[in-house]
Amino acid sequence: MNHIATPAAATTSATSAAKHEKYVPFAPVKLTDRQWPNRTIEKAPVWCSVDLRDGNQALIEPMGPDRKRAMFDALLKMGFKEIEIGFPAASQTDFDFCREIIEGGKIPDGVTIQVLTQAREELIRRTFEGIKGAKRAIVHLYNSTSELQRRVVFGLDRQGIVDIAVAGTKLIKQLAAEHPETEIVLQYSPESFTGTELEFALEICEAVMETWGASAANKVILNLPATVEMSTPNIHADQIEWFCRNMKNRDAAIISLHPHNDRGTGVAAAELGMLAGADRVEGTLFGNGERTGNVDVITLALNLLTQGVDPELRIDDINEIVRVAEYCTQLPVHPRHPYAGELVFTAFSGSHQDAINKGLKALAKSNHGTWEVPYLPIDPQDLGRSYEAVIRINSQSGKGGIAYVLEKDYGIQIPRRLQIEFSKTVQRIADETGKELAPADIHNAFKAEYLDIDAPLALIEHSTEPRGPNSGARVLNVVVSRDGVVSTLKGSGKGPIDAFLDALRQGAGIDLHVVDYREHAVGEGEDAQACAYVEVKTNDERTLFGVGMDADIVTASLRALVSAANRASR
């Protein structure tokens, strides 16, 4: 058996502190007068989806015909005008799919398909067989240009790499002339651009442009891929700006970005690359791709939306896009994925919930259309999501979130001090279960604590009558059950609440003093209920709440006092 020594094996005895010494920092670009930091993104780039090619090749189970069609249809629905549909010369599945959508008339007017090919004659010729009959196609030619690959993979000098690109360009130009029924756009990628000396990347790209005869009327797409993300995003931006500023014929090229996410900063690199002068971005839905993935087009597009820029993609049903992407890739979208994850519009923290609740209410009362809600950078409804899932309850939650759930789902608008009181009940339940509480769990806990109390006192019926002519007072006759014994109590006061307090004091020895009273309707029309809240103080100086609900507002108020009396007796 042969044993191959690896760097890890060779340095097993080395201390972890020395591991960094085998890595070389990425050299910065000498660009002292860089302009990109002072710019803002004011329009969307030209988007090109590479889900069906770059994304597909990274899947454990590459897409078959059904999943390819589902992805293609989803991309069309979102509004992509350029879609890389595959590598027809390298895969029979890709070739067949290319023929299917061309022969089947599945490519709408205004949409351009893109196909990838290496700079090899047999592959280029097979590519043209794949796109035969298309109205317009981007032929994406690439060869690797980085210093590392020139040295350890190809064993070629710079001129040898340039010759490969030029030969491929000449053949594409020849075949394009032989197929005038198809408008051919050339795209060239110096693969591993980020690992290529800038002056050499520019040299080879300009050689391709000259061979093609690029002009302002016949632009070449120069795709500058971060095939491996190797530097911080600011250096990537410097590379793009240097390239754009040093080109001979900038107006003859569309500068395209193809970031990967090896350092976890693909989105940032793309945004800074756009600031630096790029016109176009290639990426995938939710960032699927080799290793850590391609740049995430959904995140990029919605970042633009939050800055007041039209992303020029339709993302108004994010749940449907997630569903299709998960079906096609057989990969889950992470619950914390920006904008799209199941939990990204969900607050569990009490302070966050309270702020969101107040922000939504303030927004509803405002007269302007500007989105301003704490902790929510985008309106979930713009993405087809609802507010119902914004606030969810667990042991980290607070009063604001609990109040939001009760009001949003059940129309119960509990006063602030009651929010504080009831939050302790919810906290105890959440701590005991260790789980998230559904809205129904919160509602059931509220009913058990305030409305459906199995306690000594129960209201059966009541009636009122004037105490005397012009007295302004009312006499309340109320039938109650106390510890199973039915009795009639009588009290008087300025209103039913005052009279019931008097009746409880005289007939039951229950002495309560009302600190605050509130009421509101729950629902509308004939099915509407009144919800009454009383905050009372007991003789032992405790302050607590009672809640009552009934179709009749007086009955709801008396039930609230019964609720408070029962809770005081615990």
Side-chain angles (χ1 to χ4, degrees), residues 369-390:
T370 303
W371 177 255
E372 290 181 317
V373 175
Y375 300 112
L376 293 180
I378 195 170
D379 184 348
Q381 289 192 336
D382 287 341
L383 309 182
R385 300 278 288 268
S386 64
Y387 295 132
E388 280 73 12
V390 167

Side-chain angles (χ1 to χ4, degrees), residues 347-355 357 361 391-416 418-430 437-439 441-443 445-446 450:
F348 290 103
S349 162
S351 60
H352 289 204
Q353 292 172 343
D354 186 56
N357 189 19
K361 288 182 176 179
I391 295 179
R392 290 161 61 172
I393 308 300
N394 63 14
S395 61
Q396 305 301 306
S397 305
K399 61 185 184 301
I402 295 164
Y404 178 89
V405 168
L406 286 175
E407 180 175 354
K408 196 68 178 175
D409 288 15
Y410 301 99
I412 299 173
Q413 304 168 19
I414 58 178
R416 179 172 176 78
L418 177 53
Q419 294 175 24
I420 297 170
E421 180 182 279
F422 181 52
S423 68
K424 297 174 184 177
T425 300
V426 176
Q427 182 76 36
R428 174 178 52 78
I429 297 171
L437 301 183
D441 298 325
I442 305 298
H443 188 222
F446 183 78
Y450 297 99

Side-chain angles (χ1 to χ4, degrees), residues 181-252:
E181 73 280 1
T182 301
E183 179 187 351
I184 298 297
V185 178
L186 175 66
Q187 173 169 313
Y188 175 67
S189 288
E191 190 194 9
S192 301
F193 166 79
T194 47
T196 303
E197 307 90 333
L198 281 174
E199 68 278 5
F200 178 54
L202 182 58
E203 176 188 339
I204 195 169
C205 286
E206 289 186 334
V208 166
M209 292 176 67
E210 183 178 353
T211 302
W212 183 256
S215 66
N218 183 31
K219 294 179 186 286
V220 167
I221 301 172
L222 294 180
N223 192 50
L224 307 179
T227 309
V228 177
E229 188 177 34
M230 302 172 70
S231 70
T232 51
N234 62 301
I235 292 179
H236 181 257
D238 282 350
Q239 291 176 315
I240 302 302
E241 183 170 330
W242 184 96
F243 190 95
C244 291
R245 288 169 60 175
N246 285 277
M247 289 181 65
K248 294 177 183 176
N249 298 304
R250 176 64 181 90
D251 63 347

